[in-house]
Amino acid sequence: MITWNRAYRGAHLSLSQRRWLSKLTLERLATRPVQSYISTSNNPYLNLSLEHYLLQKSSPESTILLLYVNRPSIIIGRNQNPWLEVNLSLLSPAPRAATNSEPELAGSFLGAVDLVRRRSGGGTVFHDEGNVNWTVICSSKTFTRDKHAEMVTRALRSLGVERARVNERHDIVLDQGERGGDVVDGADMHVTPFTRQNAASRPLKVSGSAYKLTRQRALHHGTCLLSSPNLNVIPHYLHSPSKPFMSARGVESVSSPVGNILLENEEFMGAVQKQFAVMYSESRATELQEVGLEWLENETVGKGYDELNSLDWTYLQTPQFNVSNAADALASTDVQFTVRNGTITAGVLRSRNNSAFSQLGEDSVGTRLHEIAAWSTALPRMFTGVDRAECDKLATWLESVLPPSHKTAGHS
Amino acid sequence: MSLSRLAPRRALQVYASATAQPHNARPLFHRKLHASPRLDVVRPFLLADIGEGITECQLIQWFVQPGARVEQFDKLCEVQSDKASVEITSPFDGVIKKLHYGPDDMAVTGKPLVDIDIQGEVGEEGGVEESVEDVVRAEGGGELDAAELDAAATTTQERGRQHGSRQSKEVMGSLATPAVRHLTKEMNVNISDVQGTGRDGRVLKEDVHRHVSQQTQQTVPQQQQRTGLPATREDKKAPLTPVQTQMFKAMTRSLSIPHFLYTCAADMGAITSLRKKLNVRAEPKLTHLPFIIKAVSLALRHHPLLNSSLDTKDPKKPELTYRGAHHFGVAMDTPSGLLVPVIHNVQDLSITEVAARLLQLSEKARNNKLAPSDFSSATFTISNIGSVGGGVVAPIITEPQVGILGIGRSRMVPAFDENGQLVKKEELVLSWSADHRVVDGAECARCAERVRGLLEEPGSMIMGMR
């Protein structure tokens, strides 16, 4: 695991670029009753750390809005399994799998995509420049799951997006199909003129939500697909080839068809900010405060950033799961691993043709799954007395199901 | 649905029914006398209903382990249900007894999540049962009639924890328990004038008393920790850490003990050369502390008064109990502050065994793994500040003990040998404090001199060993 010390983090910025943040400024900012922030950075680790800082440090009765856009990255939920949710082989800068199986998509696969585990619950999402993230932090006393989803829907409708509504899962969807004949209450954010019980096509999801609740504060953040250029590629990233072979505890993603709203980022952010001000500010307007890389100076933000960036956090926070090739009819040897906290705790190879059998070597217990560079070399070390050819076959299978990660710790 | 709004209320409501207090037949408030020592009252904390029809959630991580002390609102664990990750905090002060789930397990709503042992100062305050009743009633509607409030106010003495009622009746909305509010009414103080020093700025009874005394006396200038601070530096209020809170309570009680100090300097030359020889092969290396501990135990056989316990619950009839076993508390400086774990039955341990126990305890202390049993039943305390420094120190006795030994740092000093020649001697100052209500100076001095004799001539320790 590579940790980046604080001096290095902003080192590439020139002195004029780095805006020094005094401690008093931060503390003062955190006490105002209504705060509105926009991030100048597209670094997902930084933006999530800023969010977390605001959750922890803001005064208990304050209400905060934060808006940010991330560079292409995949954000998994607090307790999810990256091997199960994400096609990890596509994340490395040189995607090999793509060119063989999907030649038509080869050109459109993106370069380096960050993998980030956030601190709130929920499922896996893909962020890019066409997606705006919004976060509202408020007192837990006044929190409801719908409150701010409704606020964002109001913002969308104010921009002419009349198909937008909040569904039962607190997501924002666009109703498809023809306008219905019934008159609909304009102030109801849960129904549109297009909503119908047996719609011909499912509504398109444009925003997903996740929450983090502490004793006094509630954080609700969501995405909003405005104009992503990657909609046809995203399903490949979020479909893992290991799904049939893993049994896992933890929250699984619920996938829905998605669509772009087709608005500009600035338009949307302005509208959300306006709705936020109307809801919370006496003057019905708030001053939008920019936040960015300079906030890494702050010790709390810096610590959170380091943690999110670390491979330990990303991979070792995975709940227990089992990998087994029992579902693979073509294999001649069964392989099974138990992985706990991202490390292999048990493993066994069993031949399907005879009674040959090999247990995971003691030295290999505790191997971190994300640190395996190549299965072809790792597998023979883990299991002794196994036929070389069988080993190679299994290694090939494992390379596709548990792809070795070529990623090092995130770059700032 | 608001999770947090539901959680403490529901949890306490459920737990209230677990204590089987019939709400329709409220008993007249009565004080319970506990002649027996501390009651361990273990309360299960149930996983609150999160709403959204969710019946179970996954436990992501624990922030506490069994044996850890928690205060109300400390983080216990993080759970995840579908889209929400939730931090669950402790509903009351106490010690974690049992975790019902491991990480990654599915926790069921409405079932126990963790057991917490509410260890109050049971003996002094007349019973944990009544403080539990306080909580039940405080949360159960905030309506206490004057008689119950009086009783609650007098029996709940200074405590770190506050059972803040969420529904604050005051317009100002400042946080304080009903007992404290009643006190402010009694003393004619406006609660919003009082600076709260409890958690989250809660107003405690001490704050009200302090406010009142400040009004009547001249304002004492604030004691600055460092003098000469420029005026623009900001003061920072901080709640007491759990260790500080315990220390505060214990030392406040010690204020009533009249201490006298007796110091003597022991020549550690013989012990040091003995240690050097043994440490060639001993693993881990011996320090002088195990020798001192064993020497004190040998001496206390001849001076059992210093190993006794003084019970002053009834000031008119103090009871002195000569304790049979030697349980020595050894003060340790840990990352969380001062802790005093106990080595039990030093009279039966060899010096090597004492050293091993010391090592064990300091490991546990460093890793926050000390259990309540590691702190119980001390009969005498030894405080070695010599690892940091010090010459003469004046240690403070913890009740119900009657003595304490403070050890400074040994240093080389010039001295005269039996021929009048100037030689180097390694001198260690031993500072004894004793409770002058039962121990007189001569007795303490004799014990101290005996220990000095044993240390200066280790051979005599062998003679006394069983």
Side-chain angles (χ1 to χ4, degrees):
Chain A
M1 181 190 81
I2 302 172
T3 45
W4 293 52
N5 65 35
R6 292 178 53 219
Y8 194 100
R9 264 188 237 118
H12 63 284
L13 298 170
S14 69
L15 270 179
S16 58
Q17 283 178 298
R18 298 166 89 181
R19 282 141 58 197
W20 300 93
L21 209 57
S22 73
K23 187 157 185 280
L24 282 178
T25 313
L26 284 182
E27 282 169 1
R28 213 176 347 109
L29 285 176
T31 54
R32 288 175 305 160
V34 179
Q35 305 163 35
S36 208
Y37 297 97
I38 183 165
S39 172
T40 54
S41 165
N42 69 352
N43 179 334
Y45 304 100
L46 172 67
N47 289 327
L48 287 171
S49 305
L50 288 173
E51 218 181 55
H52 191 61
Y53 171 88
L54 289 169
L55 174 66
Q56 290 176 307
K57 297 295 184 187
S58 54
S59 95
E61 302 302 318
S62 64
T63 313
I64 301 175
L65 172 73
L66 170 66
L67 296 164
Y68 56 93
V69 179
N70 286 332
R71 64 189 181 222
S73 45
I74 298 178
I75 319 285
I76 60 175
R78 172 68 179 88
N79 214 25
Q80 289 201 296
N81 184 327
W83 292 278
L84 192 61
E85 299 295 335
V86 181
N87 189 346
L88 290 174
S89 59
L90 294 180
L91 291 186
S92 13
R96 307 146 302 169
T99 42
N100 292 339
S101 52
E102 319 271 355
E104 70 272 18
L105 291 165
S108 49
F109 274 108
L110 310 158
V113 173
D114 294 301
L115 177 67
V116 189
R117 180 190 295 273
R118 61 175 185 268
R119 296 178 206 274
S120 60
T124 304
V125 281
F126 191 100
H127 287 183
D128 60 29
E129 307 85 353
N131 171 69
V132 172
N133 300 294
W134 49 272
T135 305
V136 181
I137 300 173
C138 64
S139 156
S140 55
K141 289 190 214 125
T142 55
F143 165 76
T144 69
R145 288 195 181 201
D146 276 337
K147 195 171 195 185
H148 300 108
E150 286 167 1
M151 178 187 87
V152 174
T153 309
R154 266 196 295 277
L156 287 172
R157 290 195 188 176
S158 74
L159 293 171
V161 185
E162 31 169 19
R163 290 177 183 266
R165 69 171 166 94
V166 181
N167 76 356
E168 326 68 52
R169 294 190 76 239
H170 318 289
D171 296 336
I172 303 178
V173 298
L174 293 181
D175 281 324
Q176 304 300 297
E178 301 290 321
R179 187 184 292 265
D182 303 338
V183 176
V184 149
D185 178 8
D188 186 349
M189 293 297 130
H190 292 259
V191 71
T192 71
F194 305 83
T195 315
R196 51 192 62 221
Q197 290 305 100
N198 47 349
S201 43
R202 283 170 70 185
L204 285 181
K205 177 171 163 181
V206 293
S207 163
S209 292
Y211 312 90
K212 182 157 168 78
L213 305 167
T214 66
R215 184 174 67 86
Q216 291 176 308
R217 309 288 278 149
L219 179 148
H220 176 180
H221 60 189
T223 55
C224 199
L225 272 176
L226 295 178
S227 56
S228 166
N230 300 313
L231 287 190
N232 59 336
V233 164
I234 292 174
H236 293 271
Y237 280 93
L238 299 186
H239 174 83
S240 168
S242 54
K243 225 166 163 169
F245 305 108
M246 280 192 193
S247 68
R249 305 193 214 179
V251 169
E252 282 196 23
S253 298
V254 173
S255 56
S256 321
V258 295
N260 276 325
I261 298 177
L262 296 174
L263 284 175
E264 294 296 309
N265 288 3
E266 282 71 33
E267 263 188 299
F268 173 75
M269 292 199 280
V272 170
Q273 207 225 335
K274 187 146 160 251
Q275 289 300 321
F276 178 76
V278 162
M279 266 177 92
Y280 291 110
S281 165
E282 280 152 5
S283 61
R284 308 202 133 216
T286 55
E287 179 197 301
L288 199 59
Q289 168 82 26
E290 281 186 358
V291 292
L293 278 170
E294 68 277 3
W295 278 50
L296 281 177
E297 304 290 318
N298 176 286
E299 208 185 311
T300 316
V301 177
K303 273 206 206 116
Y305 178 93
D306 284 342
E307 188 177 40
L308 283 187
N309 229 332
S310 71
L311 294 176
D312 279 5
W313 170 264
T314 310
Y315 289 98
L316 301 188
Q317 290 284 320
T318 309
Q320 185 170 317
F321 67 99
N322 292 324
V323 186
S324 148
N325 67 347
D328 181 8
L330 297 173
S332 42
T333 310
D334 277 345
V335 59
Q336 192 190 359
F337 284 120
T338 305
V339 182
R340 201 181 172 157
N341 294 332
T343 65
I344 303 179
T345 55
V348 71
L349 292 184
R350 205 183 280 108
S351 168
R352 288 188 189 176
N353 300 327
N354 53 46
S355 55
F357 168 92
S358 176
Q359 282 252 350
L360 184 72
E362 288 241 0
D363 308 23
S364 300
V365 171
T367 309
R368 293 174 170 189
L369 206 52
H370 70 276
E371 283 178 0
I372 295 176
W375 282 102
S376 44
T377 40
L379 202 59
R381 255 185 282 133
M382 291 181 188
F383 295 93
T384 49
V386 182
D387 176 39
R388 186 72 216 202
E390 283 301 316
C391 235
D392 285 350
K393 270 166 70 178
L394 286 172
T396 315
W397 183 82
L398 282 166
E399 294 270 339
S400 67
V401 166
L402 296 174
S405 163
H406 298 280
K407 191 177 183 311
T408 51
H411 44 288
S412 52
Chain B
M1 272 230 213
S2 160
L3 161 75
S4 309
R5 192 171 37 196
L6 277 179
R9 208 149 163 215
R10 277 284 198 117
L12 281 167
Q13 279 178 4
V14 177
Y15 124 91
S17 61
T19 65
Q21 294 283 338
H23 285 267
N24 50 358
R26 272 198 185 178
L28 269 184
F29 190 81
H30 59 278
R31 204 184 288 220
K32 290 179 187 170
L33 292 175
H34 287 257
S36 57
R38 45 205 346 207
L39 263 184
D40 283 350
V41 185
V42 177
R43 294 275 174 244
F45 174 41
L46 309 184
L47 178 62
D49 179 14
I50 301 173
E52 308 280 323
I54 291 165
T55 52
E56 55 178 24
C57 27
Q58 185 168 36
L59 194 111
I60 300 178
Q61 58 173 337
W62 284 107
F63 297 112
V64 294
Q65 286 299 313
R69 270 174 209 282
V70 291
E71 287 198 328
Q72 192 184 28
F73 306 129
D74 279 357
K75 286 199 292 197
L76 290 180
C77 62
E78 190 180 11
V79 298
Q80 166 149 327
S81 69
D82 77 327
K83 297 190 200 210
S85 80
V86 185
E87 282 177 8
I88 296 189
T89 56
S90 179
F92 24 74
D93 292 8
V95 175
I96 304 293
K97 259 292 180 280
K98 182 177 169 198
L99 309 177
H100 285 264
Y101 301 100
D104 302 346
D105 289 346
M106 298 306 285
V108 182
T109 54
K111 295 268 181 291
L113 183 65
V114 62
D115 288 349
I116 304 181
D117 183 347
I118 314 172
Q119 291 175 357
E121 271 57 55
V122 172
E124 289 87 336
E125 292 175 35
V128 169
E129 294 301 321
E130 62 204 35
S131 54
V132 162
E133 281 167 23
D134 278 353
V135 177
V136 168
R137 281 186 217 147
E139 286 296 324
E143 256 136 14
L144 296 170
D145 63 35
E148 288 166 326
L149 272 179
D150 275 334
T154 50
T155 56
T156 54
Q157 297 168 20
E158 287 84 20
R159 271 191 251 164
R161 59 183 161 152
Q162 297 297 321
H163 313 296
S165 53
R166 284 292 188 99
Q167 317 94 321
S168 62
K169 303 229 162 139
E170 301 286 337
V171 174
M172 322 293 177
S174 45
L175 295 172
T177 65
V180 174
R181 285 181 206 281
H182 181 75
L183 187 64
T184 59
K185 288 199 186 82
E186 236 184 83
M187 301 206 143
N188 267 329
V189 169
N190 190 348
I191 195 167
S192 52
D193 287 341
V194 181
Q195 191 66 8
T197 60
R199 280 191 97 102
D200 303 323
R202 276 161 220 274
V203 176
L204 310 179
K205 284 179 63 244
E206 302 101 307
D207 300 325
V208 177
H209 287 300
R210 187 174 32 92
H211 182 84
V212 166
S213 60
Q214 271 174 5
Q215 304 289 56
T216 52
Q217 295 171 17
Q218 293 295 328
T219 316
V220 178
Q222 287 278 341
Q223 292 291 331
Q224 298 265 339
Q225 279 176 341
R226 291 157 288 179
T227 51
L229 271 181
T232 51
R233 290 287 178 89
E234 288 167 351
D235 294 334
K236 183 171 173 250
K237 284 207 209 303
L240 293 181
T241 69
V243 172
Q244 274 179 322
T245 312
Q246 291 300 109
M247 210 159 61
F248 185 90
K249 291 179 206 169
M251 293 292 112
T252 306
R253 286 195 297 272
S254 299
L255 278 174
S256 59
I257 304 177
H259 289 60
F260 71 86
L261 178 67
Y262 178 89
T263 68
C264 64
D267 177 359
M268 294 300 279
I271 297 272
T272 303
S273 60
L274 176 61
R275 275 196 306 128
K276 276 213 187 78
K277 271 189 271 183
L278 294 172
N279 280 341
V280 169
R281 257 173 311 156
E283 200 58 54
K285 304 276 172 246
L286 293 166
T287 64
H288 60 222
L289 189 57
F291 291 89
I292 300 175
I293 291 178
K294 192 60 187 173
V296 171
S297 175
L298 290 171
L300 286 182
R301 257 194 246 140
H302 299 272
H303 303 278
L305 179 59
L306 283 153
N307 193 52
S308 58
S309 296
L310 184 61
D311 182 347
T312 48
K313 265 199 268 312
D314 181 355
K316 296 219 179 59
K317 285 207 271 211
E319 280 180 15
L320 188 63
T321 313
Y322 286 86
R323 297 247 165 251
H326 297 168
H327 301 311
F328 288 175
V330 182
M332 292 185 182
D333 179 32
T334 71
S336 358
L338 171 68
L339 294 176
V340 191
V342 179
I343 303 180
H344 294 102
N345 294 311
V346 181
Q347 77 278 0
D348 294 331
L349 296 175
S350 68
I351 296 179
T352 326
E353 284 166 347
V354 169
R357 279 297 289 145
L358 271 175
L359 198 62
Q360 230 177 29
L361 285 174
S362 62
E363 271 295 323
K364 276 187 175 181
R366 246 196 317 263
N367 300 330
N368 267 333
K369 289 206 162 33
L370 290 169
S373 58
D374 289 321
F375 291 100
S376 65
S377 340
T379 59
F380 190 83
T381 305
I382 296 190
S383 174
N384 180 19
I385 197 67
S387 45
V388 180
V392 175
V393 299
I396 302 191
I397 303 167
T398 315
E399 52 164 46
Q401 299 162 39
V402 299
I404 181 171
L405 169 61
I407 305 171
R409 187 178 219 138
S410 67
R411 47 189 204 127
M412 294 310 239
V413 296
F416 295 105
D417 68 4
E418 56 274 9
N419 299 329
Q421 296 298 315
L422 199 62
V423 290
K424 276 199 305 191
K425 283 216 176 139
E426 186 184 345
E427 179 186 86
L428 178 67
V429 178
L430 301 169
S431 309
W432 296 76
S433 282
D435 185 339
H436 213 318
R437 297 175 295 183
V438 291
V439 181
D440 60 56
E443 181 63 13
C444 180
R446 279 189 287 266
C447 183
E449 292 305 311
R450 189 181 286 271
V451 172
R452 182 162 77 96
L454 290 171
L455 290 174
E456 289 183 349
E457 186 51 73
S460 54
M461 279 176 65
I462 301 174
M463 302 305 286
M465 291 279 207
R466 292 221 180 102

